[in-house]
Amino acid sequence: MNLPPTGRTTEDLLAEVARLKEHDLPVRGGQVTAYVYDTGRAGVHDAATRAYLEMLEVNCLDPTAFPSVVEMERQVVGAVADLLGGGHGIFTSGGTESIMLAVKAARDRAARPRPNLVLPVTAHPAFHKAAHYLGVEVRAVPVDLETYKVRARDVAGAVDEDTVLVVASAPSYPQGVIDPIEEIAAAVGGVPFHVDACVGGWLLPWLREAGADVPPFDLSVPGVTSISCDLHKFGYAPKGASVLLFADPAMRRKAYFASAAWPGYTIINATVQSSRSAGPLGGAWATLQALGRDGYAELGRATLEATRRLREGLAAIPGLRVLGAPESSLVAFEGAGVDVFVLADEARARGWFLQPQLSYAGIPANLHITVTGVTLAGVEALLKVIAESAEAARERGPVVLPDGLVELVAGLDLEAIDDAAFAELSASVGVDLRPGAGQPEMAVVNTVLDALPAPVREAVLVRFLSVVYGR
């Protein structure tokens, strides 16, 4: 895009925004079962939007210049701490930044020459990203293939004198189960222990209040030293809102960055970012205030009931099986005689998005559904679409790849071909990524990826993203 020679009107710009969004998935109504979280309450969304805009141009860089940032953050972090066993916190832009800071704090506290972190294979890739950026080795531990939970003894067995952090999930995203937090904390005593509750931190307490059997998982558990909780998930705040809590304020200080080695303004950052809008903070603050305890308790009850109905409904659809026993509102299911990647495309054609998950570490390929507060109103419609899509997928049969395609992709020197050549290769197997080609069916893409080892998957995904974004 080139800059226009003269400025455009607001009406013109908003009309173009609407045009650009024509093919986006809907963010309201519950038909997208990943990425977005909807209360179904327009008033809450409006309050958050207005507060977000009010704080949009406020810069979190210097809290002495904008004391509103300090007060809002104290209130938001305090609400999370009250729910999750106390602690001392930082408001961040999302789970990845919270995790990045947790790993940084642990690394800097330990000051080991060859630091490592120990985590289950089901832990979020944000830990791998943080370790990559921060020079920390990752030691991944397998999970039980019936419960999909990591075993405390396996975690303890991977810990050594260079381990700076142990990680577990409450819940893990792939199957929605809670790792044995108390057992792990007892098994690795003395090693900093982070609980990734980015998904569950603001959900599990309300599910427990609604009657769910939720084991202890937060800072009230002896040995848990930090926990992350995303408010833009089940806190229903606008994107860009997460909280990282530390049991010890000294550990929180290790997450900070300060620099006085230049002649300019004072640099002291609580987050990875320096300048950042206070809009997400304002949106999170307003969402918490607009819903209150009663609102979250009601959403928790609705979410728990919708999850129950979904699991029962999936069990009644021939060929589908829920993986494990989800303890939250994240549900994953596999197919027998049903290609789940084809099922996902069939559901997308019917206006619903189900999130594909590739096979890994003995866990089969599956589809993932995040149940939110709005799901209860549409759970029967969702089950109807899944049943119809499963039958259509059974009739279509599984994806059949051209002979030798997987071996060809696995053997490619991706660094030796440019993006244009990669796009041509993709188009030749029915996945046209070029501008104007429209949204391709993803079953072929996912089937190819599923057949490749993880490092090759990653390399292909990088090229995929490069082609999609172009120059």
Side-chain angles (χ1 to χ4, degrees):
M1 181 191 86
N2 295 319
L3 281 174
T6 59
R8 298 166 63 184
T9 66
T10 300
E11 292 75 14
D12 184 31
L13 293 173
L14 291 178
E16 181 159 350
V17 169
R19 180 187 64 78
L20 292 172
K21 291 176 63 179
E22 282 178 359
H23 301 293
D24 283 6
L25 295 167
V27 298
R28 302 283 169 222
Q31 288 181 244
V32 177
T33 64
Y35 310 127
V36 294
Y37 296 77
D38 184 11
T39 63
R41 304 180 181 200
V44 173
H45 174 64
D46 182 59
T49 300
R50 292 188 179 201
Y52 193 112
L53 291 175
E54 187 67 27
M55 299 297 289
L56 180 65
E57 296 182 63
V58 174
N59 192 341
C60 293
L61 176 63
D62 187 349
T64 66
F66 303 104
S68 61
V69 169
V70 176
E71 182 55 33
M72 277 189 175
E73 182 159 338
R74 281 176 176 167
Q75 291 188 32
V76 170
V77 170
V80 177
D82 287 347
L83 207 63
L84 297 180
H88 311 269
I90 301 171
F91 182 85
T92 78
S93 65
T96 294
E97 188 171 29
S98 289
I99 286 166
M100 185 81 67
L101 293 171
V103 174
K104 176 194 179 298
R107 183 200 66 175
D108 290 0
R109 172 189 176 275
R112 295 284 192 273
R114 292 179 297 277
N116 69 71
L117 64 88
V118 175
L119 45 68
V121 294
T122 51
H124 196 277
F127 289 98
H128 295 262
K129 186 175 185 178
H132 175 74
Y133 284 176
L134 296 169
V136 178
E137 176 195 352
V138 173
R139 294 185 177 175
V141 177
V143 296
D144 182 283
L145 293 180
E146 292 185 5
T147 66
Y148 301 100
K149 300 181 183 185
V150 74
R151 290 172 286 252
R153 66 176 183 272
D154 293 338
V155 174
V159 171
D160 65 16
E161 66 276 6
D162 289 322
T163 302
V164 298
L165 188 66
V166 166
V167 173
S169 306
S172 59
Y173 186 85
Q175 283 79 44
V177 298
I178 301 170
D179 287 322
I181 304 302
E182 290 181 302
E183 293 178 33
I184 294 170
V188 302
V191 179
F193 179 23
H194 180 84
V195 173
D196 175 17
C198 287
V199 175
W202 197 264
L203 170 68
L204 293 175
W206 305 110
L207 294 185
R208 181 188 286 139
E209 187 170 310
D213 182 15
V214 176
F217 69 93
D218 57 23
L219 289 178
S220 64
V221 176
V224 174
T225 56
S226 58
I227 187 168
S228 47
C229 168
D230 286 3
L231 293 177
H232 61 215
K233 291 187 171 73
F234 287 97
Y236 297 101
K239 291 297 183 190
S242 179
V243 169
L244 170 64
L245 293 174
F246 292 97
D248 182 354
M251 184 70 108
R252 178 176 67 168
R253 291 193 293 272
K254 292 296 184 182
Y256 293 167
F257 172 80
S259 178
W262 83 315
Y265 62 89
T266 303
I267 296 289
I268 172 64
N269 302 141
T271 64
V272 175
Q273 301 174 80
S274 293
S275 282
R276 57 192 172 105
S277 170
L281 175 60
W285 175 85
T287 304
L288 297 181
Q289 298 292 324
L291 279 166
R293 289 194 61 88
D294 288 348
Y296 282 113
E298 184 178 335
L299 287 167
R301 289 190 293 272
T303 302
L304 187 62
E305 175 62 15
T307 305
R308 182 189 68 79
R309 291 193 196 177
L310 176 64
R311 290 179 61 186
E312 290 176 354
L314 287 170
I317 298 173
L320 302 187
R321 183 181 74 90
V322 172
L323 297 179
E327 297 165 282
S328 59
S329 67
L330 309 181
V331 178
F333 63 93
E334 66 168 334
V338 177
D339 187 322
V340 290
F341 299 145
V342 176
L343 193 162
D345 279 350
E346 290 288 341
R348 178 72 179 260
R350 291 164 171 79
W352 291 75
F353 178 82
L354 309 177
Q355 187 178 49
Q357 298 189 138
L358 305 179
S359 61
Y360 186 72
I363 301 171
N366 59 84
L367 297 180
H368 185 279
I369 294 174
T370 299
V371 178
T372 69
V374 78
T375 305
L376 184 59
V379 68
E380 300 306 327
L382 171 59
L383 285 167
K384 182 175 183 291
V385 164
I386 293 174
E388 291 175 354
S389 300
E391 182 57 32
R394 188 178 291 106
E395 291 178 2
R396 281 177 56 178
V399 170
V400 178
L401 299 175
D403 289 343
L405 176 61
V406 171
E407 293 77 11
L408 171 65
V409 174
L412 278 176
D413 180 359
L414 290 174
E415 295 299 323
I417 62 173
D418 60 20
D419 285 348
F422 185 83
E424 291 291 340
L425 175 63
S426 299
S428 71
V429 294
V431 183
D432 197 341
L433 306 175
R434 293 169 295 190
Q439 173 68 34
E441 287 198 334
M442 294 300 294
V444 171
V445 176
N446 288 319
T447 302
V448 172
L449 289 173
D450 199 59
L452 296 171
V456 182
R457 290 176 183 174
E458 292 164 359
V460 170
L461 287 168
V462 167
R463 297 310 297 268
F464 181 91
L465 192 66
S466 183
V467 170
V468 167
Y469 276 101
R471 71 178 200 180

